[in-house]
Amino acid sequence: MVEVRYFSRSGNTKAIADVIASAAGVKAESADAAGVSDADILFVGGALYAGGIAGKLKKFIKTLSPEKVGCVAVFSTTANPNGAYEKIKKALDKQGLRVLEHEFHCTGGEAKSEGAAVRAEAFAKEILEENRSL
Ligand SMILES: Cc1cc2nc3c(=O)[nH]c(=O)nc-3n(C[C@H](O)[C@H](O)[C@H](O)COP(=O)(O)O)c2cc1C
């Protein structure tokens, strides 16, 4: 089972979450609205605000455990071209989760573009293919 959760203030990360969810045949849900019941592959998306990830995303991540989540694929949108992977991964690591190295990032300005959608769809398909046995 695949699930997609994101936190998005202005819709950039949501735009990417929707593309990933569509590629996976599921619906993306906001992390502050929906928990995770059971996921073989969980896509988690976020952005940086004043150098850190949102408190609501951190709170959501604290609800996760390896018993409920097989592995996590991170996607992010930020102004910083390096993305938010390291900060999101740090929070996921604290929960003892298996975090994939393969991640997706685009800048906030790119997030709603056709180019980012094409890349995000390819990312989702690669993650699903690479972790199909889960
Ligand atoms: C108040 C605020 C603070 C931000 N701080 C950072 C930051 O510290 N580093 C960064 O790379 N981007 C920063 N950004 C840019 C956002 O990470 C970027 O616009 C992102 O795509 C927003 O995603 P969202 O629309 O899903 O909320 C900031 C944006 C806002 C509105």
Side-chain angles (χ1 to χ4, degrees), residues 67-90:
E67 288 73 37
K68 287 197 284 190
V69 177
C71 68
V72 184
V74 174
F75 61 100
S76 65
T77 72
T78 61
N80 186 325
N82 293 326
Y85 177 77
E86 290 305 330
K87 292 209 164 136
I88 296 174
K89 182 179 185 301
K90 195 173 166 192

Side-chain angles (χ1 to χ4, degrees), residues 93-116:
D93 282 345
K94 279 191 192 157
Q95 299 306 116
L97 296 160
R98 179 175 163 239
V99 184
L100 302 176
E101 283 179 24
H102 191 171
E103 50 133 350
F104 175 89
H105 172 256
C106 69
T107 63
E110 292 169 331
K112 294 171 186 167
S113 70
E114 182 60 28

Side-chain angles (χ1 to χ4, degrees), residues 48-53 87:
L48 292 180
Y49 309 97
I53 60 173
K87 292 209 164 136

